[in-house]
Amino acid sequence: MLKDALDLAAIHRVLVIKLRHHGDVLLTSPVFSVLKNHAPHLEIDALVYRDTADMLNLHPAIARIHTVDKQWKNSGSLAQAKAEWALLSALRERRYDLIVHLTESNRGAWIKRLSGARYGVARSLNSKGKFWRRSFSHFFPYPRGNSRHTVETHLDALRRLGIYPAADERRLTLVPGAAAEESVSVLLRQHQVAEGNFIHIHPTSRWLFKYWTVPALARLIDTLGGEGHTVVLS
């Protein structure tokens, strides 16, 4: 048993921070589910980049989503400062008890300090120095060369607080909404593709190291088609 595990009955509001790309944000979805399952009284908010908010927008465990717009830095120093101040003011108004910071960004450390939250959990990073170590109350290990699934490393933040997810709590949650589901249904009907009877391939990525070669991908698609599968590209 952890000597410094949190008493969830004394926690009322939590902010989970994940300022990364779409897939990274989606992989945080079990964190919200686990927190809500283990403490149904919690109000749980998220802080993400504006263009990734749809990954969590309809998550049933999330009360409010705050966003950072990457375009703030292109709007001039004064406009950026006003936007940052408005965000910080909104966060302070929520009076968080706990900050769950899931990246190594110093923004999370500043938010923990300036939000007034009593508790904060973040990665244990010796390279970050005293400012980082003094910003949070709890740290979870994040070893270099880690080969575990990203969902598990996210949930390590909760384990460090004394919250232990069950096996069936680790599934991702993505709620596209009625409008998106209807849009997909229309596309499938237009192209005469049966729902649930196709293979979806999304070949692109923001990161070059995630790309597969075009010839290899083409062979895969040809092979799947040759076996009778319907392939949908996006």
Side-chain angles (χ1 to χ4, degrees):
M1 295 295 292
L2 294 172
K3 294 182 179 180
D4 57 353
L6 295 190
D7 177 9
L8 292 180
I11 304 295
H12 303 286
R13 286 201 181 104
V14 181
L15 176 67
V16 179
I17 304 174
K18 186 68 175 187
L19 297 171
R20 283 292 185 271
H21 297 310
H22 291 77
D24 302 304
V25 171
L26 178 59
L27 292 175
T28 69
S29 59
V31 172
F32 301 94
S33 301
V34 171
L35 281 169
K36 195 67 172 178
N37 289 345
H38 288 246
H41 68 281
L42 288 179
E43 286 189 32
I44 311 164
D45 293 356
L47 174 62
V48 298
Y49 285 128
R50 181 166 295 174
D51 63 342
T52 68
D54 284 344
M55 295 292 97
L56 300 174
N57 196 35
L58 296 177
H59 194 300
I62 296 178
R64 185 175 302 183
I65 296 180
H66 305 274
T67 61
V68 173
D69 192 337
K70 295 178 183 178
Q71 298 304 314
W72 288 349
K73 60 185 178 183
N74 299 324
S75 59
S77 299
L78 181 58
Q80 182 179 5
K82 288 182 177 179
E84 295 281 4
W85 178 253
L87 172 62
L88 179 60
S89 298
L91 296 177
R92 287 180 60 85
E93 286 178 4
R94 293 291 282 162
R95 298 183 180 275
Y96 296 110
D97 303 293
L98 169 64
I99 304 294
V100 179
H101 185 35
L102 296 176
T103 69
E104 70 283 357
S105 167
N106 279 335
R107 183 189 285 270
W110 279 111
I111 288 173
K112 164 60 178 66
R113 287 171 175 261
L114 298 176
S115 68
R118 180 178 181 182
Y119 302 106
V121 60
R123 296 178 181 178
S124 178
L125 299 169
N126 293 330
S127 61
K128 300 293 282 187
K130 291 182 180 179
F131 175 78
W132 184 265
R133 292 194 299 272
R134 293 176 179 175
S135 296
F136 302 96
S137 59
H138 296 69
F139 296 91
F140 63 96
Y142 193 83
R144 296 181 64 181
N146 176 56
S147 61
R148 296 164 66 233
H149 197 287
T150 301
V151 167
E152 291 298 335
T153 62
H154 287 160
L155 293 175
D156 282 346
L158 303 187
R159 295 183 181 102
R160 180 60 186 84
L161 302 174
I163 306 168
Y164 301 101
D168 60 354
E169 293 182 302
R170 302 171 190 179
R171 297 186 61 172
L172 302 183
T173 299
L174 175 60
V175 184
E181 291 176 354
E182 176 58 24
S183 176
V184 170
S185 295
V186 169
L187 285 172
L188 293 178
R189 289 195 297 269
Q190 287 176 348
H191 295 278
Q192 298 181 337
V193 176
E195 290 196 30
N197 192 29
F198 62 90
I199 296 174
H200 177 206
I201 295 179
H202 183 67
T204 61
S205 172
R206 294 189 183 205
W207 299 102
L208 291 176
F209 74 89
K210 293 182 179 180
Y211 282 178
W212 204 12
T213 65
V214 173
L217 187 60
R219 286 196 300 272
L220 172 63
I221 295 171
D222 288 342
T223 299
L224 292 172
E227 293 177 352
H229 300 288
T230 300
V231 177
V232 175
L233 295 177
S234 60

